[in-house]
Amino acid sequence: MTRTALVTGSTDGIGRQTARQLAAGGLKVIVHGRSKAKVDAALAGLRDELPGGELDGVSFDLGSLAGVRRGAEAIAKAAPQLHVLVNNAGIFATERVVTDEGFEMTFAVNYLGPFLLTELLAPRLVDSATGGPPSRVIDVASVAHTRGRIHLDDLQLARSWTGYAAYAQSKLANVMHALSLAERHDAKKLVAYSLHPGVVGTKLLRQGFGPVQGVSVDAGARTAIRLAAAESVDDPSGSYFSDGTATQPAPAAREASVRAALWDASVKLAKL
């Protein structure tokens, strides 16, 4: 049976490399991007590179909860089974923008949209694990989570926004998300991980920090590829990986009461 993986933000950068390597390894891969034109272009390029690869595509805006709901419906139709969800898409904003639904853009794209997408797809992921290894959710976070704080009284940072504060909060929320999923799901059915991909000179980092010298896109994608494709992962569900090795996340990520409060707030904001 061919396993199926969805990689968000996979029209370029780390996401594209993750999608490419998973397809090269024999998985069916659903490529995601905000724009249908970019998804179609990425699919055309990947099909040229991997003539035998099983590839499909879906386009929706992770910054729009209505868009995420439509996207989840399209994925459910395209993928009767889904074994891997790589929440890779992310942004670094240089000005505070609020979405039409009232959410700060970094929080919406990097965390709340992926949170909703994961919850909508979780039943499919769990069902697809029957008779095989557990399905996986892999959240691409960042070492920036170590400098983040969850502003429970101001998640949209209306009072104290900076691009870095918004980014660090969203990446801390990603790490917490994987830990919360690990607590809420039977590890025989669904496991979750978060990771720091390394400092990679992607479009996101250039937007946030200017010219960046770092590891290659190939190296940046390596941990997500291993966690997605391996028959089994020795490290427990909820683990955070840096430089490919499971390591303790920041103490803030391990604050159970804040994690629970963030989950409850996310459920309300996403209208679940």
Side-chain angles (χ1 to χ4, degrees), residues 209-268:
F209 301 99
V212 173
Q213 292 295 321
V215 300
S216 67
V217 169
D218 181 59
R222 201 166 289 150
T223 303
I225 293 164
R226 176 170 66 83
L227 293 173
E231 186 66 26
S232 63
V233 177
D234 293 335
D235 300 287
S237 183
S239 293
Y240 166 75
F241 293 82
S242 182
D243 293 326
T245 302
T247 187
Q248 284 276 41
R254 309 198 299 274
E255 291 184 15
S257 61
V258 178
R259 225 172 39 242
L262 176 63
W263 185 279
D264 290 345
S266 303
V267 167
K268 290 176 183 174

Side-chain angles (χ1 to χ4, degrees), residues 2-264:
T2 301
R3 295 170 68 226
T4 301
L6 166 66
V7 184
T8 68
S10 48
T11 58
D12 57 21
I14 294 171
R16 187 188 190 280
Q17 181 66 7
T18 302
R20 186 191 187 284
Q21 291 303 108
L22 292 179
L27 276 72
K28 176 181 177 180
V29 176
I30 301 172
V31 172
H32 160 266
R34 181 179 177 183
S35 150
K36 185 177 186 301
K38 288 190 74 174
V39 171
D40 288 347
L43 283 173
L46 288 167
R47 285 170 176 151
D48 282 345
E49 295 169 29
L50 304 168
E54 286 193 67
L55 293 152
D56 205 342
V58 63
S59 57
F60 60 90
D61 181 2
L62 272 166
S64 159
L65 298 186
V68 171
R69 291 182 184 278
R70 288 192 296 271
E73 289 178 7
I75 292 158
K77 290 177 184 173
Q81 291 198 309
L82 183 65
H83 305 89
V84 179
L85 168 59
V86 183
N87 286 314
N88 165 79
I91 63 168
F92 189 114
T94 54
E95 61 179 305
R96 186 175 185 273
V97 176
V98 176
T99 70
D100 291 343
E101 295 165 323
F103 303 115
E104 189 273 324
M105 185 67 78
T106 307
F107 182 79
V109 173
N110 291 7
Y111 171 70
L112 190 60
F115 172 88
L116 175 59
L117 182 65
T118 303
E119 287 303 288
L120 295 176
L121 296 179
R124 181 63 49 92
L125 286 159
V126 169
D127 288 347
S128 299
T130 303
S135 293
R136 292 113 192 246
V137 175
I138 299 159
D139 288 341
V140 178
S142 167
V143 70
H145 88 275
T146 61
R147 298 182 67 181
R149 182 165 76 85
I150 303 299
H151 299 254
L152 288 170
D153 61 341
D154 184 23
L155 286 170
Q156 313 311 320
L157 300 182
R159 298 191 296 272
S160 57
W161 189 91
T162 68
Y164 192 84
Y167 183 74
Q169 175 180 248
S170 73
K171 295 292 114 178
L172 176 57
N174 292 154
V175 177
M176 288 180 157
H177 181 232
L179 286 163
S180 293
L181 287 172
E183 293 169 349
R184 291 167 181 271
H185 287 276
D186 179 354
K188 293 178 182 175
K189 293 287 187 180
L190 182 70
V191 293
Y193 308 106
S194 62
L195 65 95
H196 168 54
V199 177
V200 186
T202 58
K203 179 176 66 177
L204 181 151
L205 246 66
R206 290 194 299 272
Q207 286 172 339
F209 301 99
V212 173
Q213 292 295 321
V215 300
S216 67
V217 169
D218 181 59
R222 201 166 289 150
T223 303
I225 293 164
R226 176 170 66 83
L227 293 173
E231 186 66 26
S232 63
V233 177
D234 293 335
D235 300 287
S237 183
S239 293
Y240 166 75
F241 293 82
S242 182
D243 293 326
T245 302
T247 187
Q248 284 276 41
R254 309 198 299 274
E255 291 184 15
S257 61
V258 178
R259 225 172 39 242
L262 176 63
W263 185 279
D264 290 345

